[in-house]
Amino acid sequence: MSKKGVLTVVSGFSGAGKGTLMKALLKKYDYELSISATTRSPREGEEHGREYFFLTREEFESMIETGKLIEWAEYVGNYYGTPKEYVEQRLNEGKDVILEIEIQGALKVREIFPDALLLFVTPPNITELKSRLVGRGTESMETIMKRLARASEEANFMEHYDYIIVNDDLDECVETTHQVIMNEHYKVSQNKNFIEAITAELKAMKEGAI
Ligand code: ADP
Ligand code: 5GP
């Protein structure tokens, strides 16, 4: 029914499994995941243009200055930002776009796109969060502790989100996420064009034109 693409913002504590969830969701369903720019270094196995556009601070600041980002934020010492052109193009084509970004960015997106759907991904508990962060093995214990400290600040913003998505069983989490996004297509705010068309048809019928 809906022709407009749904813009979904996915946030959550570092180590909650957002990246894992996105990968599994995209494998099964047709979503466009926006690739962010960042100044952090690539992790082993990450590629420029696939997980992120890895930029220097100068390159990133030039993107800010030239208005090429929808939003940007600093997270544990690095810049992260969402390229504008890709997101706007895909939404205009009617594609469902997902941004996997942290909370400050999510709240900025909500200001710019009031119809955006905000999902907060969390593990079932914080002991599991720490063991996922340690188990991932990509950050030093110092960075892990910084990310956990950041998580306790982020928890204060969970109530600004539309849905809490618990990532316990991954397959279940993929289905829940997909269902929540699909439901969004039926919202009145997503179907303004349809409502206008039906109203115009009714008017034409009343006037005897059809
Ligand atoms: P984020 O992108 O939120 O920082 P990741 O996707 O990198 O988190 O996941 C962190 C770690 O947790 C990874 O090692 C990943 O394999 C693991 N993980 C993700 N989802 C689950 C899950 N549902 N059950 C168990 N482990 C998970
Ligand atoms: P990581 O370094 O683990 O890949 O990401 C760190 C944090 O930055 C995560 O919470 C992730 O969601 C967030 N992030 C990734 N891309 C963007 C972005 O474009 N904008 C904002 N605001 N945050 C982002």
Side-chain angles (χ1 to χ4, degrees):
M1 184 162 82
S2 163
K3 297 283 188 294
K4 216 168 108 187
V6 169
L7 178 61
T8 301
V9 177
V10 172
S11 308
F13 310 129
S14 180
K18 304 178 296 296
T20 307
L21 171 63
M22 291 303 103
K23 222 169 152 189
L25 186 72
L26 263 69
K27 207 168 158 193
K28 193 154 182 203
Y29 298 108
D30 191 20
Y31 291 106
E32 303 281 332
L33 182 67
S34 160
I35 301 167
S36 297
T38 184
T39 58
R40 88 148 159 74
S41 310
R43 293 181 184 134
E44 207 181 308
E46 285 185 335
E47 268 178 36
H48 181 79
R50 193 179 65 192
E51 280 78 14
Y52 283 104
F53 296 106
F54 294 99
L55 306 180
T56 62
R57 284 187 87 82
E58 291 69 34
E59 286 167 337
F60 195 100
E61 281 162 4
S62 148
M63 285 191 84
I64 299 175
E65 279 153 27
T66 52
K68 293 208 168 76
L69 299 174
I70 292 179
E71 61 73 38
W72 59 274
E74 249 185 305
Y75 177 92
V76 193
N78 283 300
Y79 284 133
Y80 293 81
T82 307
K84 191 186 265 177
E85 201 180 321
Y86 174 88
V87 173
E88 290 183 346
Q89 261 180 17
R90 293 300 180 282
L91 286 175
N92 290 338
E93 289 166 8
K95 302 266 169 64
D96 289 343
V97 177
I98 304 183
L99 311 181
E100 192 246 279
I101 65 178
E102 55 67 67
I103 286 170
Q104 300 166 63
L107 299 181
K108 279 186 220 157
V109 170
R110 165 136 292 166
E111 278 173 30
I112 303 166
F113 299 91
D115 291 338
L117 170 68
L118 267 57
L119 310 183
F120 195 92
V121 178
T122 163
N125 56 63
I126 297 304
T127 309
E128 173 67 15
L129 178 67
K130 191 174 177 193
S131 84
R132 283 187 193 175
L133 272 173
V134 173
R136 186 168 69 188
T138 50
E139 271 92 9
S140 64
M141 196 41 83
E142 191 196 345
T143 304
I144 288 177
M145 293 322 285
K146 280 188 191 159
R147 285 179 173 234
L148 285 172
R150 173 78 177 222
S152 64
E153 288 168 26
E154 289 177 338
N156 298 322
F157 291 91
M158 285 165 79
E159 62 192 43
H160 292 276
Y161 282 72
D162 297 311
Y163 293 89
I164 300 294
I165 306 283
V166 178
N167 174 24
D168 192 354
D169 178 87
L170 182 63
D171 292 337
E172 228 174 80
C173 188
V174 166
E175 295 313 317
T176 308
T177 307
H178 177 60
Q179 277 311 319
V180 168
I181 300 175
M182 285 302 107
N183 287 346
E184 201 67 11
H185 280 273
Y186 297 94
K187 264 196 165 171
V188 166
S189 56
Q190 282 292 126
N191 290 284
K192 296 265 165 67
N193 293 345
F194 181 79
I195 294 169
E196 269 172 32
I198 286 279
T199 311
E201 219 181 336
L202 279 168
K203 185 166 176 267
M205 190 171 278
K206 201 170 147 194
E207 290 165 356
I210 52 172

